Amino acid sequence: MGFSLMEGFTKSLAMTVLSEIGDKTFFAAAILAMRHPRRLVLAGCLGALIVMTILSALLGWAAPNLLSRKWTHNITTILFFAFGLWSLWEGFTEEGDAEEFAEVEAKLDADLKADKNGAKAGPKAEDLKKQQRPFLTQFFSPILLKAFSITFFGEWGDKSQIATIGLASDEDPFGVILGGILGQTLCTVAAILGGKSLASQISEKMVAFSSGILFLVFGVQSLLSAVGES
């Protein structure tokens, strides 16, 4: 690996792991894996995260073609500082890990209850419901699609997605994609294999503080490189 590729890889890997551990999508993967076949949950969650990582990196790669390199670098620097302070603030104001886990679990329970109520409506209603299912459910498992959609829309517009866009605009996008995918894979596999026992042991505050410090380090590094080039 070249230096630029390796730097993008290591930054993306570290940022992804610290951003995703203890995230809502992390808890969602752990809860889904306790109720459904793990291979389907893993395929759905990881597929969504890989697609999101590639899309984000491509947006970051395209950004310098729309704005000057100097502007994209400055915006990325500001984002790193903003996310660093945001993460530290979350660490100081976080109420507790159990609340977020319970919130995600309650939402998934509500969805599961709605599905069961639909199944109790009778065979005719169930047959009609199957006929009205989206086209994709005819080829993919509903569990896989559910895991994919929960993860994809849970990550859309998230801090880690925006940070990936910023990172890919300033570093080698291929390295950012590789680091992001490896980080997402590690976190998702840990959530699915560890389940509730692992999720309940994660300190949300420590993760927030660690990611906040990491973002600030990236911000300082980006600022110093801009000063050195000027």
Side-chain angles (χ1 to χ4, degrees), residues 30-68:
I31 295 168
L32 287 171
M34 289 187 287
R35 302 174 180 178
H36 303 292
R38 288 179 174 179
R39 59 184 178 83
L40 294 176
V41 176
L42 177 63
C45 293
L46 194 55
L49 292 169
I50 289 173
V51 170
M52 181 65 70
T53 300
I54 294 173
L55 285 176
S56 302
L58 289 176
L59 286 172
W61 171 77
N65 297 319
L66 303 175
L67 299 171
S68 68

Side-chain angles (χ1 to χ4, degrees), residues 48-211:
L49 292 169
I50 289 173
V51 170
M52 181 65 70
T53 300
I54 294 173
L55 285 176
S56 302
L58 289 176
L59 286 172
W61 171 77
N65 297 319
L66 303 175
L67 299 171
S68 68
R69 174 67 66 176
K70 181 179 179 181
W71 270 102
T72 56
H73 185 86
N74 291 340
I75 291 171
T76 301
T77 303
I78 293 171
L79 284 174
F80 283 148
F81 279 113
F83 288 151
L85 295 174
W86 182 5
S87 297
L88 291 177
W89 174 257
E90 286 180 337
F92 283 114
T93 58
E94 188 68 42
E95 293 181 359
D97 310 327
E99 285 82 355
E100 185 165 5
F101 187 92
E103 179 186 338
V104 176
E105 191 170 27
K107 187 178 184 306
L108 292 176
D109 282 338
D111 293 341
L112 182 63
K113 188 176 181 181
D115 293 339
K116 286 183 177 179
N117 289 337
K120 290 178 181 178
K124 290 184 178 180
E126 185 66 18
D127 291 340
L128 181 62
K129 186 176 179 182
K130 287 180 179 179
Q131 292 174 6
Q132 295 175 341
R133 277 179 178 174
F135 177 75
L136 285 174
T137 58
Q138 298 177 28
F139 301 96
F140 298 100
S141 164
I143 296 170
L144 186 149
L145 292 176
K146 182 177 182 179
F148 184 97
S149 61
I150 287 174
T151 306
F152 186 86
F153 292 110
E155 285 294 313
W156 188 263
D158 190 63
K159 178 172 56 180
S160 59
Q161 187 209 8
I162 300 172
T164 300
I165 294 173
L167 193 61
S169 70
D170 216 34
E171 303 289 348
D172 188 299
F174 187 60
V176 172
I177 290 174
L178 290 178
I181 289 177
L182 178 59
Q184 300 285 14
T185 301
L186 292 174
C187 293
T188 306
V189 170
I192 289 174
L193 295 181
K196 187 174 182 178
S197 59
L198 174 63
S200 61
Q201 292 174 12
I202 293 172
S203 171
E204 192 81 11
K205 288 181 179 291
M206 286 304 300
V207 171
F209 285 136
S210 299
S211 61

